[in-house]
Amino acid sequence: MNTAIDHGPDATATAAAHRPHRVPAVLRAPLEGRTWGELLYALTGFPIATALFCIAITLTATSAGLLVTFIGVPLLAFTLAGARGMGVLERARARALLGQDVAAPEPLRLRARRSRSTGLMAWVGALLKDGTSWRHLVYALVCFPWAVLTFVTAVTLWSVGWALFTYPVWQWTLPRFAHRPGMQIWGDSHGRSFYLDTPYEIGFTCALGFAVVMASPWILRSLTQVNRLLVSGLLGPSRLAERVWELEEDRGVAEDTAAADLRRIERKLHDGAQARLAHLAVGLDMAKETALADPPSAVVMVEHAHSEVKRVLQELRDLARGIHPAILTDRGLGPALSALAARCSVPVTTQADLPSRPASAIEGIAYFTVSELLENISKHSGATTASVDVWRSGNRLMLRVADDGRGGALIRPGGGLAGLTDRLRAVDGVLDVDSVPGGPTVVTAELPWRP
């Protein structure tokens, strides 16, 4: 599969990005930017979490104590609004330091707009009913103890680890300025003590520090993973809201696709069949006028009109096939794909394993997906053979179109494969493209069965 708009130098860049690194991950981890970002996140998280916890617990307790009065309800709503503002800060901090991009939840004004009332009370009521605001408040309370643990662990590991690792570098300062032979491990009132001052002890201390330095990034990464879960789970949109947004976006894609198909059909009717029919009407009028005066010329005109009628009928059949082929309605997806493959300029083998027929809309989308993929193969791939496989897996309809062409196909914005991806996503479908430069190309589509 290869289209002029779906391939390019990105394949080379992708291959370079996946090349194995010469330095093992365990050795380069302490110096990676990700590690320093996570360390900075842990260091800044403690004061921020402390402030948020104090503010949240104070305002929540105060508003709860004043709920018997009129002041408690607006104060609680103000606390929830502040928690939502805190969520903006925490999502930005996670995005900048952890590289975690968490989408913002549904704006509160949308919920208030759905309410019948307006004004301050509508805003207060929307906040109190908003589950997202309460999740933000829970984050401010839960994040504090974990931030303390992360901060203490990070500071201890990094300070102790680097101090021990660099001990051979600064050990000489102890006898010179502190009047001690080395780092003291223990001592008692009787003057007995133990110092790290021999070469073996200094070397062992350095090795121990190196081990701590090497292990610190992975321990810190494990701790910040919990922060990632807290941010995405409590500060991001709920699964229901995400699903609603996806359905709204998919509905928009489906509407745009339907409008584009209608414009395409209208353009073909206007520029093709309609123009030919108008020309045919003029030709028949001329044949009618010359039928008595010049019968042989009239016969030629009628024959020409007859040929034109055949061409118009063929165009209308092709157009009807492009809307919804009759063979797809009468015989199902397998025979329709076989007929589609027979019209492809590249030899195509088809194999269908369908115990029953999926939903009519799913059949149509699957048919047109294969149609566009085969058209891309004919125009751009340079393939000599191709194959189409369709089967059912659980409650999903699976399609696989493969060719032995030059490869390098990519899903790029505005490209043909991107359009197919949007069309499939509108019905909860998935399109996957596996196309290395030089080929082969395998495009797999997954659609819901919906019997």
Side-chain angles (χ1 to χ4, degrees):
M1 194 65 51
N2 201 354
T3 62
I5 54 179
D6 286 338
H7 70 281
D10 292 342
T12 304
T14 302
H18 288 83
R19 290 175 182 172
H21 203 282
R22 294 182 178 179
V23 181
V26 67
L27 296 179
R28 67 175 187 269
L31 302 178
E32 283 185 334
R34 173 180 177 178
T35 301
W36 292 103
E38 292 171 344
L39 177 61
L40 185 58
Y41 184 88
L43 297 180
T44 58
F46 174 66
I48 293 176
T50 303
L52 294 178
F53 178 81
C54 293
I55 295 173
I57 200 69
T58 301
L59 291 179
T60 303
T62 304
S63 58
L66 295 176
L67 282 179
V68 294
T69 67
F70 177 76
I71 302 177
V73 175
L75 183 58
L76 182 59
F78 174 77
T79 304
L80 295 175
R84 290 183 68 100
M86 170 273 302
V88 177
L89 170 64
E90 287 298 282
R91 286 191 298 270
R93 198 164 65 94
R95 186 182 304 111
L97 300 179
L98 298 182
Q100 183 184 21
D101 192 4
V102 179
E106 181 185 13
L108 183 67
R109 59 177 179 274
L110 297 181
R111 296 182 181 271
R113 191 180 299 160
R114 297 170 188 166
S115 179
R116 296 180 180 179
S117 59
T118 58
L120 177 62
M121 295 310 300
W123 178 78
V124 171
L127 275 169
L128 296 178
K129 297 177 183 178
D130 182 39
T132 302
S133 301
W134 287 100
R135 285 193 286 112
H136 281 62
L137 182 60
V138 171
Y139 176 86
L141 301 177
V142 173
C143 182
F144 171 68
W146 189 256
V148 174
L149 175 63
T150 304
F151 176 83
V152 172
T153 304
V155 171
T156 302
L157 287 177
W158 282 95
S159 59
V160 172
W162 283 103
L164 296 179
F165 180 50
T166 58
Y167 182 59
V169 178
W170 57 271
Q171 185 270 341
W172 63 272
T173 62
L174 295 177
R176 183 170 182 178
F177 298 102
H179 305 291
R180 294 181 179 180
M183 186 186 302
Q184 184 177 6
I185 300 301
W186 63 273
D188 56 21
S189 58
H190 300 288
R192 292 173 296 184
S193 60
F194 179 78
Y195 294 92
L196 299 174
D197 55 353
T198 66
Y200 294 104
E201 294 169 349
I202 295 175
F204 175 79
T205 303
C206 179
L208 180 61
F210 178 77
V212 174
V213 169
M214 291 297 105
S216 296
W218 306 101
I219 298 175
L220 182 60
R221 192 163 299 176
S222 301
L223 294 174
T224 54
Q225 186 63 31
V226 177
N227 292 95
R228 296 174 187 271
L229 296 177
L230 290 175
V231 172
S232 60
L234 296 177
L235 302 184
S238 63
R239 293 184 178 180
L240 178 61
E242 286 183 337
R243 183 58 180 161
V244 170
W245 295 348
E246 289 177 0
L247 292 176
E248 291 178 350
E249 182 180 358
D250 295 343
R251 183 182 64 183
V253 172
E255 292 175 351
D256 294 340
T257 302
D261 290 339
L262 289 176
R263 289 193 297 268
R264 176 179 57 83
I265 295 171
E266 180 183 5
R267 183 172 60 253
K268 287 187 175 181
L269 287 174
H270 182 271
D271 298 339
Q274 182 177 344
R276 289 185 179 276
L277 288 175
H279 181 70
L280 176 62
V282 173
L284 290 175
D285 286 340
M286 294 178 61
K288 179 180 178 181
E289 293 176 358
T290 59
L292 297 177
D294 189 2
S297 298
V299 171
V300 174
M301 293 181 182
V302 171
E303 291 178 351
H304 179 72
H306 184 258
S307 300
E308 193 71 15
V309 167
K310 291 182 178 179
R311 285 192 289 268
V312 172
L313 288 176
Q314 185 61 39
E315 286 189 6
L316 291 176
R317 290 192 190 100
D318 294 339
L319 184 60
R321 187 183 295 114
I323 298 174
H324 197 84
I327 188 174
L328 180 61
T329 303
D330 298 336
R331 301 181 59 189
L333 186 59
L337 294 182
S338 298
L340 185 64
R343 296 194 300 269
C344 184
S345 61
V346 177
V348 180
T349 59
T350 61
Q351 183 176 357
D353 183 14
L354 300 175
S356 58
R357 297 183 62 172
S360 177
I362 299 301
E363 277 189 335
I365 294 176
Y367 176 86
F368 291 114
T369 299
V370 175
S371 176
E372 292 205 27
L373 293 176
L374 291 181
E375 184 177 357
N376 285 343
I377 291 176
S378 300
K379 293 181 179 179
H380 307 293
S381 70
T384 57
T385 60
S387 64
V388 176
D389 297 319
V390 54
W391 69 96
R392 178 176 181 177
S393 177
N395 60 347
R396 308 291 285 182
L397 175 64
M398 307 297 296
L399 297 170
R400 182 171 59 213
V401 179
D403 68 78
D404 60 352
R406 64 176 63 95
L410 295 173
I411 300 178
R412 310 178 77 179
L417 294 179
L420 285 179
T421 302
D422 293 338
R423 177 172 291 194
L424 293 178
R425 193 174 64 241
V427 293
D428 287 339
V430 179
L431 186 74
D432 177 72
V433 179
D434 182 9
S435 180
V436 296
T441 294
V442 178
V443 179
T444 306
E446 181 179 339
L447 292 164
W449 185 263
R450 294 180 185 173

